[in-house]
């Protein structure tokens, strides 16, 4: 059996890179450009919403690749998670931060879609928006926070990924496994 996990590691890392990079570029570049060029709040919202809507399918694919790769890495490294000291804790932290990033991403999309409908000049969108009125100012503030939370959380995942890489060094694996074994069997020296 091969010890390499190049495909699943690539899916994990490239997916995370696209998720992080796209969120950061959108929060800085797309939203900033929409604000500079929009002129009015409605035009700014339309420009920004259009860009985010085009990014959504790519982002979904990136997140899917990251999650698939992460699941594959967890299966491939289950022995390390169970036996090496510190790996279970960092894996748990990574899982919690991933869940938070997924929640922030979904929340940002829901808010963005509401703002998109409210700012649209399409009569059908306007009708839908009127059926579910929102406080646009409040929704925009919440969206700004959510859109900055995504790159912050995915940036944390990049750091935790680096920690996992360090934990895979042979110099880390043996002492970590020995310490874990000693804690489980106190009679060992």
């Amino acid at each position: 059996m091969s010890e390499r996990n190049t495909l699943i590691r690539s899916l994990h890392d490239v997916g995370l890179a696209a998720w992080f990079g796209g969120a950061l570029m959108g929060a800085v570049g797309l939203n900033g450009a929409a604000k500079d060029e929009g002129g009015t709040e409605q035009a700014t919202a339309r420009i920004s919403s259009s860009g985010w809507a085009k990014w959504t399918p790519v982002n979904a694919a990136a997140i899917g690749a990251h999650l698939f790769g992460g699941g594959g890495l967890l299966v491939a490294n289950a022995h390390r998670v169970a036996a090496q000291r510190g790996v279970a804790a960092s894996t748990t932290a990574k899982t919690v931060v991933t869940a938070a990033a997924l929640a922030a991403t979904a929340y940002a999309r829901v808010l963005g879609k509401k703002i998109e409908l409210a700012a649209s000049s399409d009569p059908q969108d306007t009708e839908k928006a009127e059926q579910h009125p929102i406080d646009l100012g409040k929704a925009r503030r919440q969206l700004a926070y959510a859109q900055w939370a995504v790159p912050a959380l995915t940036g944390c995942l990049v750091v935790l990924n680096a920690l996992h890489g360090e934990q895979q060094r042979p110099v880390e694996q043996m002492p970590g496994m020995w310490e874990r074994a000693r804690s489980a069997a106190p009679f060992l020296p």
Side-chain angles (χ1 to χ4, degrees):
M1 184 171 160
S2 174
E3 293 294 319
R4 290 183 172 222
N5 306 114
T6 306
L7 178 61
I8 59 174
R9 188 175 307 281
S10 296
L11 288 170
H12 175 268
D13 293 352
V14 170
L16 179 57
W19 189 9
F20 169 73
L24 186 60
M25 189 280 179
V28 175
L30 175 58
N31 290 348
K35 187 175 180 181
D36 290 347
E37 299 299 321
T40 65
E41 283 191 14
Q42 192 166 7
T44 297
R46 277 200 303 271
I47 293 167
S48 185
S49 294
S50 177
W52 282 107
K54 288 177 181 5
W55 172 247
T56 296
V58 176
N59 196 41
I63 292 168
H66 173 68
L67 295 175
F68 183 80
L73 287 173
L74 184 59
V75 168
N77 292 297
H79 66 285
R80 285 188 47 251
V81 174
Q84 185 179 343
R85 187 174 189 187
V87 176
S90 62
T91 300
T92 300
K94 199 168 173 186
T95 302
V96 169
V97 175
T98 300
L102 286 168
T105 300
Y107 185 59
R109 184 63 187 136
V110 167
L111 288 170
K113 193 66 178 166
K114 287 179 180 181
I115 292 169
E116 178 183 341
L117 287 173
S120 177
S121 56
D122 181 337
Q124 289 179 331
D125 289 345
T126 304
E127 187 179 312
K128 286 179 192 175
E130 287 172 359
Q131 290 173 359
H132 305 284
I134 62 167
D135 178 344
L136 268 177
K138 182 179 176 184
R140 284 185 178 117
R141 285 188 302 279
Q142 290 173 333
L143 180 59
Y145 287 123
Q147 285 180 335
W148 279 105
V150 176
L153 290 164
T154 53
C156 288
L157 289 173
V158 171
V159 172
L160 288 168
N161 195 39
L163 173 63
H164 271 195
E166 292 297 315
Q167 289 174 330
Q168 287 183 324
R169 292 174 179 252
V171 70
E172 290 285 324
Q173 286 186 32
M174 286 310 291
M177 289 180 184
W178 177 248
E179 285 299 315
R180 182 71 152 225
R182 279 188 46 203
S183 342
F187 57 86
L188 292 174

